[in-house]
Amino acid sequence: MTETAVAAGNTGSKSEQAYRAVKARIVEGAYTPGYRLVLGTIAKDLGFSVVPVREAIRRLEAEGLVTFERNVGATVAGIDPTEYLYTMQTLSIVEGAATAISAPLIGAQDIERARSINAEMRECLKHFDPVRFTQLNQDFHSVLFEHCPNPHILDLVHRGWNRLASLRSSTFRFVPGRAHDSVDEHEALLRLIETGADPERIEKAARLHRSTTLDAYLAQAAPAEHAAPSETPSETNAGSLNARY
């Protein structure tokens, strides 16, 4: 069994394990946007039959991480600047609201945990690892919004993060300078929460934090993405699907 399969864990159904393994490869950048997902190859690699892998791919498609195209098959979804714009705009609104609603329910232990994560992010800046930094960034924000008692808002936040999953290995790689500012803004947001600031002020700070990252990313990435020619994954690395899974 591969390292990724082991990393996925041996708990849960084979479909769940396959889902975790494939999603991890997308998040880590091993499966890049446009990469063709060949069920038989993945199943053999994970030591599973095709059935649980097919179920995992369908689940990832529902989350927006995988797309299906006739005569091409299942591929890792990419996010163009326009899609990224819409996703981040939406996430800034719903995550800002979730953070503000959660604020009164965030205790001292939560603040301590968030600060610990932010300290790891600051340490990560010394030998910058954008994949690690981005995962820590999600961990940090999860502490702040997971107490949101409104399940509908929380669901929208999770959907937004899932849509961004395929960019987690590249967002801060494009704008490494933004990572330094992000850590400082995290601390400022924590101070607002622990001092009992007005919810509207907390929401505004959370939304500004998100929109500033969006502005930095689009300013850096949009020109390059529009100028660069599209690339087709090699048959050796990706292969193809003859029929929809």
Side-chain angles (χ1 to χ4, degrees):
M1 185 174 291
T2 66
E3 292 183 3
T4 304
V6 173
N10 294 319
T11 60
S13 66
K14 289 185 177 180
S15 174
E16 177 66 22
Q17 292 180 50
Y19 165 79
R20 293 177 189 169
V22 177
K23 184 172 184 177
R25 291 177 178 181
I26 294 174
V27 170
E28 294 164 1
Y31 291 168
T32 57
Y35 190 96
R36 298 179 189 176
L37 300 168
V38 184
L39 301 187
T41 300
I42 296 174
K44 182 178 179 180
D45 192 29
L46 297 178
F48 298 154
S49 69
V50 171
V51 175
V53 176
R54 180 184 295 114
E55 293 174 354
I57 297 299
R58 284 174 174 166
R59 184 173 168 185
L60 290 166
E61 183 184 18
E63 292 182 359
L65 296 181
V66 170
T67 60
F68 183 88
E69 185 178 346
R70 186 178 296 277
N71 298 324
V72 175
T75 61
V76 176
I79 301 181
D80 61 32
T82 301
E83 181 65 20
Y84 184 76
L85 168 66
Y86 294 154
T87 300
M88 286 288 278
Q89 284 179 334
T90 302
L91 190 56
S92 70
I93 295 171
V94 295
E95 187 178 347
T99 300
I101 296 172
S102 294
L105 304 175
I106 295 175
Q109 289 186 337
D110 298 313
I111 294 292
E112 182 179 353
R113 183 157 62 98
R115 277 213 169 93
S116 177
I117 295 171
N118 205 39
E120 287 188 61
M121 295 178 72
R122 195 177 296 280
E123 185 67 23
C124 186
L125 295 174
K126 296 179 181 179
H127 303 285
F128 193 52
D129 178 351
V131 176
R132 172 64 175 160
F133 186 89
T134 306
Q135 181 57 60
L136 288 170
N137 185 54
Q138 181 179 5
D139 293 342
F140 173 87
H141 285 287
S142 293
V143 176
L144 304 189
F145 66 66
E146 285 292 357
H147 286 291
C148 179
N150 187 318
H152 298 290
I153 293 178
L154 200 55
D155 178 63
L156 291 173
V157 174
H158 288 153
R159 286 173 181 269
W161 276 100
N162 284 333
R163 287 179 178 173
L164 294 177
S166 62
L167 280 179
R168 286 178 188 162
S169 65
S170 61
T171 303
F172 287 103
R173 181 176 289 123
F174 272 100
V175 285
R178 174 63 191 144
H180 290 264
D181 294 336
S182 183
V183 171
D184 293 336
E185 291 167 14
H186 284 174
E187 177 56 33
L189 187 55
L190 286 176
R191 286 199 297 269
L192 287 176
I193 294 173
E194 69 180 344
T195 57
D198 185 86
E200 290 186 6
R201 188 179 176 191
I202 294 173
E203 180 173 357
K204 182 178 180 179
R207 290 181 62 174
L208 181 61
H209 173 67
R210 179 67 59 194
S211 63
T212 302
T213 298
L214 167 63
D215 292 342
Y217 179 85
L218 291 180
Q220 184 71 19
E225 291 192 18
H226 283 302
S230 59
E231 297 181 356
T232 302
S234 66
E235 291 296 324
T236 300
N237 291 332
S240 61
L241 285 175
N242 295 321
R244 183 177 177 83
Y245 45 82

